[in-house]
Amino acid sequence: MPYTQDDLSNLFDFYSHQLLQNTVPFWFPRSIDEEFGGFLLMRDADGTLIDDDKAVWIQGRATWLLATLYNTVEQKQEWLDGARIGYEFLNNHCFDTDGQMFFHVTRDGKPIRKRRYFFSETFYVIAAAAYAKASGSEEAAEKARMVFGKCIEYATTPGLLQPKFLNTRPSKGIGVPMIMMNTAQQLRETIGDPRCDTWITTWIEQIETNFVKDDIRCVMEQVALDGSIIDHIDGRTLNPGHSIEGAWFILHEAIYRNNDKHLIDLGCRMLDYMWERGWDKTYGGLMYFKDVYNKPVQEYWQDMKFWWPHNEAIIATLLAFLITGDEKYAKWHKQVHDYAYQHFHDIIYGEWFGYLHRDGTVAQTAKGNLFKGPFHLPRQEWYCMQLLKDYAK
Amino acid sequence: MPYTQDDLSNLFDFYSHQLLQNTVPFWFPRSIDEEFGGFLLMRDADGTLIDDDKAVWIQGRATWLLATLYNTVEQKQEWLDGARIGYEFLNNHCFDTDGQMFFHVTRDGKPIRKRRYFFSETFYVIAAAAYAKASGSEEAAEKARMVFGKCIEYATTPGLLQPKFLNTRPSKGIGVPMIMMNTAQQLRETIGDPRCDTWITTWIEQIETNFVKDDIRCVMEQVALDGSIIDHIDGRTLNPGHSIEGAWFILHEAIYRNNDKHLIDLGCRMLDYMWERGWDKTYGGLMYFKDVYNKPVQEYWQDMKFWWPHNEAIIATLLAFLITGDEKYAKWHKQVHDYAYQHFHDIIYGEWFGYLHRDGTVAQTAKGNLFKGPFHLPRQEWYCMQLLKDYAK
């Protein structure tokens, strides 16, 4: 049964309430580090700090969130101030002398680890761009555009970043075109950049041509340079939540491009394929990894339920329903929404647990760590709230 | 209740039977790659090959196993031939031009990945040393000694290998002194090397001084350079199975050193501390990771049960019982032995599953992959069989 106007109105209320009364208050204002700048985000279930280190991805993402709330929900001074503190910490402490960013720094901004890819940079771009829009800072806008240019360079110049693997079996991952597409979308929607549309077209073409396999109804996580499937453990490993995230980036683009039919079809196919492969028919929820041929995957925790694939699936199914009106998507949305808020949401302290066993029991209580922080959940609640604005009472 | 002579005799029968009738036949002869050399070890539950790549650690370990069976159990030609095929593949395909070894190669020996530590090298040393003893090859003995020397150089020259972390918060792990100790023990017991005894003494001192914390009854997995606990997520993470493996390397050394009381006490303390911290009182089995202060660990799969900590605990508890006669260790041995053979052992196809959920259900069916192969389980069954030889009927 498709969602009625009333259902959508209730969903708007639910997501707005969760975002503003539950998720955001878990993190802020307590996580703002008045002493050293940036945010203290590695927290246990009850909010206790378990580590004062700073994960650069999450510093960027939290900055993006605060600036985005300011830009789109309400011009609260505390959100703008928080975004500035995050933006300045990123500038002052998270860049190496070679222009690359670190991955993990101490509370006072000393580098612990640098990695061989450039996702710290992509999250910096969305942070600086959203902050530039919020603050009107021309400097922030320039920095966002400059680092976006660097990301394009990293993405298109083989060997510019030190590779993790030797050159015997070259491969490429869906992560780069996907995250770059969303980075460009964010840049375009905040401060604008003439490069975005062309690049987004290119990245979507790359995803469609290389990673989407209609014959086997699958979106690959990595492929050989010619787009063929690499029949080894790593090459066969699928990440349904990641592909579903890519699906909604494409559906989002479809709307921007006046409900582009080709993109709607592409995004829905990606969602369909990976829902079928990822949804756990026994316990509910999305599996983390699957093998394309259902062989064992290397990652022994492959059947765990992580928070973020559920955030991405909630967005993707809602978007797909609103665009197509297909009741299948309403059904899936309700399924993943219900599963997620029943199993991940912490009714005592707010926010979500990050990691469940396959059977839905909590495996690890941290709300924030090196990889989890105020991003996927608040982004989902914020994005769905924006989508459903027209249904607000 | 301590084990009786009869119990020990039954255990000898059990381990010998499992090793020779169940575990070894799962892998050999089918895994020997007659075409390209080395072993094809990445296999699903029923033995089906899931990947023909070769993990260098496991190529070394399988070579060690076959040569060791030849040296200590029976001089079967097929074991010697298998060891030679493994040894030659390691020499021909697993060394980079700078003398470091690869981590992962293709079936025909082309390099896929090289890592920033030297455990491929330590497993090469035990493989070449055992093969040298089995074959009488002076060349293999020289190579084993030469690579052992390189390992000492890597272990003692900071910066010689590219570090994974920047220098803000220098740390050291228990893995290096532990694995080097066992490497030296293997070298000493096969072809002998005058460097071994002194180095083993040094490594044990390092473990005792830096990693064993009697005040909190704990063995740390990593510490600061001065041995202090690093109160951040990584620094707090304990690996009970790993420490228990270290405990039995030390108990093994205690026997070699005429039942050295200090070493017996040290090994038993390590076992005691980490049994208390690692044993799962709810479901049985050993947890993979624990936080020293019981905070959440980064690794969301921390409560899974892996095969190898159970192999190490079976050895450690049996050794501790045979050395001390303390019935506590017989009780623990029975507990971990029963849990492991009930939950990990595949009664249909033989060998063990590698990865269980916390509740003991199988999470992933592979018998072999990048990290699992014919090593921890056959080594446990072989080591216990050797230990219990005197009780054979």
Side-chain angles (χ1 to χ4, degrees):
Chain A
M1 188 162 47
Y3 281 137
T4 63
Q5 302 276 320
D6 254 12
D7 292 333
L8 296 171
S9 166
N10 291 338
L11 280 172
F12 171 84
D13 289 346
F14 180 83
Y15 292 129
S16 328
H17 177 86
Q18 285 298 123
L19 177 68
L20 300 173
Q21 306 304 322
N22 191 292
T23 307
V24 171
F26 179 87
W27 297 106
F28 304 107
R30 68 175 154 196
S31 298
I32 292 172
D33 186 349
E34 302 287 355
E35 193 173 347
F36 292 98
F39 310 108
L40 293 163
L41 297 166
M42 299 193 185
R43 295 182 181 277
D44 203 351
D46 64 358
T48 312
L49 203 64
I50 53 177
D51 200 325
D52 63 7
D53 281 353
K54 290 167 181 169
V56 176
W57 288 20
I58 321 289
Q59 298 292 311
R61 288 165 153 190
T63 304
W64 171 87
L65 176 67
L66 290 171
T68 299
L69 292 174
Y70 182 87
N71 291 333
T72 60
V73 177
E74 190 188 335
Q75 297 202 332
K76 277 199 190 177
Q77 189 61 37
E78 62 187 88
W79 287 343
L80 181 60
D81 292 345
R84 180 184 46 74
I85 287 170
Y87 168 72
E88 288 172 355
F89 186 85
L90 290 166
N91 287 335
N92 295 339
H93 300 293
C94 301
F95 283 87
D96 200 354
T97 47
D98 60 7
Q100 281 179 252
M101 292 185 77
F102 296 115
F103 172 73
H104 177 179
V105 301
T106 58
R107 181 174 180 191
D108 58 352
K110 294 201 185 70
I112 300 270
R113 191 169 173 201
K114 189 172 166 182
R115 298 188 74 171
R116 292 171 283 194
Y117 45 67
F118 57 96
F119 295 122
S120 290
E121 283 81 348
T122 63
F123 302 128
Y124 176 85
V125 173
I126 63 173
Y131 176 69
K133 176 168 178 177
S135 64
S137 159
E138 200 38 58
E139 184 209 88
E142 267 169 44
K143 280 187 196 283
R145 292 193 187 99
M146 187 269 287
V147 177
F148 179 62
K150 284 213 142 214
C151 290
I152 294 174
E153 218 183 312
Y154 294 139
T156 54
T157 318
L160 189 58
L161 295 180
Q162 193 198 354
K164 189 166 169 184
F165 290 87
L166 300 159
N167 215 23
T168 299
R169 188 185 292 151
S171 69
K172 53 188 180 187
I174 198 172
V176 168
M178 232 180 85
I179 298 300
M180 286 301 283
M181 173 182 19
N182 184 250
T183 305
Q185 288 170 335
Q186 292 295 316
L187 194 63
R188 186 176 64 194
E189 289 162 30
T190 46
I191 55 173
D193 187 298
R195 295 167 292 184
C196 292
D197 286 351
T198 319
W199 273 113
I200 290 173
T201 303
T202 304
W203 289 316
I204 293 178
E205 277 171 15
Q206 284 183 12
I207 290 172
E208 183 168 16
T209 316
N210 290 301
F211 297 92
V212 179
K213 307 293 180 199
D214 293 306
D215 54 340
I216 55 167
R217 298 181 66 82
C218 192
V219 184
M220 302 304 297
E221 188 65 17
Q222 58 169 288
V223 290
L225 298 190
D226 66 358
S228 61
I229 294 176
I230 301 173
D231 194 2
H232 291 275
I233 294 173
D234 283 354
R236 291 196 304 260
T237 303
L238 310 175
N239 186 328
H242 208 214
S243 315
I244 289 172
E245 185 179 15
W248 81 252
F249 293 166
I250 288 173
L251 293 176
H252 179 88
E253 194 63 21
I255 296 178
Y256 179 84
R257 299 190 182 194
N258 301 312
N259 290 315
D260 181 295
K261 280 203 167 44
H262 179 76
L263 294 185
I264 293 172
D265 179 60
L266 174 62
C268 288
R269 267 151 55 215
M270 290 172 65
L271 171 56
D272 290 353
Y273 298 166
M274 298 315 279
W275 180 276
E276 281 165 27
R277 287 179 180 262
W279 187 260
D280 181 351
K281 292 181 186 72
T282 308
Y283 292 100
L286 286 161
M287 305 273 212
Y288 198 87
F289 288 125
K290 294 283 282 182
D291 183 278
V292 59
Y293 305 131
N294 293 313
K295 295 182 183 181
V297 295
Q298 172 70 48
E299 302 304 337
Y300 21 82
W301 45 272
Q302 86 286 347
D303 64 5
M304 289 183 72
K305 311 289 165 62
F306 276 40
W307 84 106
W308 67 262
H310 298 79
N311 297 128
E312 305 314 324
I314 287 172
I315 296 177
T317 49
L318 185 61
L319 248 180
F321 173 72
L322 293 174
I323 294 173
T324 67
D326 185 338
E327 65 179 283
K328 169 179 81 178
Y329 295 122
K331 190 185 134 212
W332 288 355
H333 177 267
K334 188 167 159 34
Q335 228 173 303
V336 64
H337 171 105
D338 288 353
Y339 178 87
Y341 281 94
Q342 277 161 27
H343 291 85
F344 288 102
H345 179 49
D346 178 359
I347 52 167
I348 298 175
Y349 296 108
E351 244 274 349
W352 282 17
F353 297 111
Y355 312 93
L356 310 181
H357 301 119
R358 184 176 174 190
D359 67 7
T361 53
V362 175
Q364 205 260 43
T365 56
K367 299 277 171 61
N369 59 29
L370 261 181
F371 293 97
K372 187 174 186 297
F375 185 63
H376 290 280
L377 172 60
R379 178 173 77 167
Q380 170 233 302
E381 292 171 337
W382 164 78
Y383 191 90
C384 293
M385 179 183 155
Q386 303 303 108
L387 262 186
L388 294 165
K389 251 187 189 162
D390 296 344
Y391 301 91
K393 276 167 211 135
Chain B
M1 189 162 49
Y3 281 137
T4 63
Q5 302 276 320
D6 253 11
D7 293 331
L8 295 172
S9 167
N10 290 338
L11 280 173
F12 171 84
D13 290 346
F14 180 82
Y15 291 129
S16 326
H17 177 85
Q18 286 298 123
L19 176 69
L20 300 172
Q21 306 304 323
N22 191 292
T23 307
V24 171
F26 179 87
W27 298 105
F28 304 107
R30 68 176 154 195
S31 298
I32 291 171
D33 186 349
E34 301 286 357
E35 194 172 348
F36 292 98
F39 310 106
L40 293 162
L41 298 167
M42 298 192 184
R43 296 184 180 275
D44 203 351
D46 64 357
T48 313
L49 203 64
I50 53 176
D51 200 324
D52 64 7
D53 281 352
K54 290 169 181 166
V56 177
W57 287 20
I58 322 288
Q59 298 292 311
R61 288 164 154 190
T63 304
W64 171 86
L65 176 67
L66 290 170
T68 299
L69 291 175
Y70 182 87
N71 291 333
T72 59
V73 178
E74 189 186 337
Q75 296 204 331
K76 278 198 190 178
Q77 189 62 37
E78 63 187 89
W79 288 342
L80 181 61
D81 292 345
R84 182 184 44 75
I85 287 171
Y87 168 72
E88 287 173 355
F89 186 85
L90 289 166
N91 286 335
N92 295 339
H93 301 293
C94 301
F95 283 88
D96 199 354
T97 48
D98 60 6
Q100 281 179 250
M101 292 186 78
F102 297 115
F103 173 73
H104 177 180
V105 302
T106 60
R107 181 174 178 190
D108 59 352
K110 294 200 185 71
I112 300 271
R113 192 170 173 200
K114 189 171 165 181
R115 296 188 77 172
R116 291 171 282 193
Y117 45 67
F118 56 97
F119 295 122
S120 291
E121 284 82 348
T122 61
F123 302 128
Y124 176 85
V125 172
I126 64 173
Y131 176 69
K133 175 167 181 177
S135 64
S137 160
E138 199 39 56
E139 183 208 88
E142 266 169 46
K143 280 187 197 282
R145 291 193 189 101
M146 188 269 288
V147 177
F148 180 63
K150 285 212 145 218
C151 291
I152 293 175
E153 217 183 314
Y154 295 139
T156 53
T157 319
L160 189 59
L161 296 179
Q162 193 197 354
K164 188 165 170 186
F165 290 87
L166 300 159
N167 216 22
T168 298
R169 189 185 291 151
S171 69
K172 53 188 179 185
I174 197 171
V176 168
M178 230 180 86
I179 298 300
M180 287 299 283
M181 173 184 16
N182 184 249
T183 305
Q185 287 169 336
Q186 292 296 315
L187 195 62
R188 185 177 65 195
E189 289 161 30
T190 46
I191 55 173
D193 187 296
R195 294 167 292 184
C196 292
D197 285 351
T198 319
W199 273 113
I200 290 171
T201 303
T202 304
W203 289 316
I204 293 177
E205 277 171 11
Q206 282 183 14
I207 291 171
E208 182 169 16
T209 316
N210 290 300
F211 297 93
V212 179
K213 306 293 181 199
D214 293 304
D215 53 339
I216 55 168
R217 298 179 65 83
C218 192
V219 184
M220 301 306 296
E221 188 65 17
Q222 57 169 287
V223 290
L225 299 190
D226 65 358
S228 61
I229 295 177
I230 301 174
D231 193 3
H232 290 276
I233 293 172
D234 284 355
R236 291 195 304 260
T237 303
L238 309 175
N239 187 329
H242 207 215
S243 313
I244 288 172
E245 185 180 13
W248 80 253
F249 293 166
I250 288 173
L251 292 177
H252 179 88
E253 194 62 21
I255 296 178
Y256 180 83
R257 300 190 181 194
N258 302 313
N259 291 315
D260 180 297
K261 281 204 166 44
H262 180 77
L263 294 185
I264 293 172
D265 179 61
L266 175 62
C268 288
R269 266 152 55 214
M270 290 172 66
L271 171 56
D272 290 352
Y273 298 165
M274 298 315 279
W275 180 276
E276 282 165 26
R277 286 178 179 262
W279 186 260
D280 181 351
K281 291 180 187 70
T282 309
Y283 292 100
L286 285 162
M287 305 275 210
Y288 199 85
F289 288 125
K290 295 283 283 184
D291 183 278
V292 59
Y293 304 132
N294 293 312
K295 295 182 182 181
V297 295
Q298 173 67 48
E299 302 305 337
Y300 22 82
W301 45 272
Q302 86 287 347
D303 64 6
M304 288 183 71
K305 311 288 164 64
F306 277 40
W307 84 105
W308 68 262
H310 297 79
N311 297 128
E312 305 315 324
I314 287 171
I315 296 177
T317 49
L318 185 60
L319 247 180
F321 172 71
L322 292 175
I323 293 174
T324 67
D326 185 339
E327 66 179 283
K328 168 178 81 178
Y329 294 121
K331 190 185 136 211
W332 289 356
H333 177 267
K334 187 166 160 38
Q335 227 174 304
V336 64
H337 171 105
D338 288 352
Y339 177 88
Y341 280 94
Q342 276 161 27
H343 291 85
F344 287 101
H345 179 49
D346 179 358
I347 52 168
I348 298 175
Y349 297 107
E351 245 273 349
W352 282 16
F353 297 110
Y355 311 94
L356 311 181
H357 300 119
R358 182 175 176 191
D359 67 7
T361 54
V362 175
Q364 208 258 43
T365 57
K367 299 276 170 64
N369 59 29
L370 262 181
F371 293 97
K372 186 176 186 296
F375 185 62
H376 290 280
L377 172 61
R379 180 174 74 169
Q380 170 232 301
E381 290 170 338
W382 163 79
Y383 190 91
C384 292
M385 179 184 156
Q386 302 303 107
L387 262 187
L388 295 165
K389 254 186 186 162
D390 295 343
Y391 301 91
K393 276 167 214 139

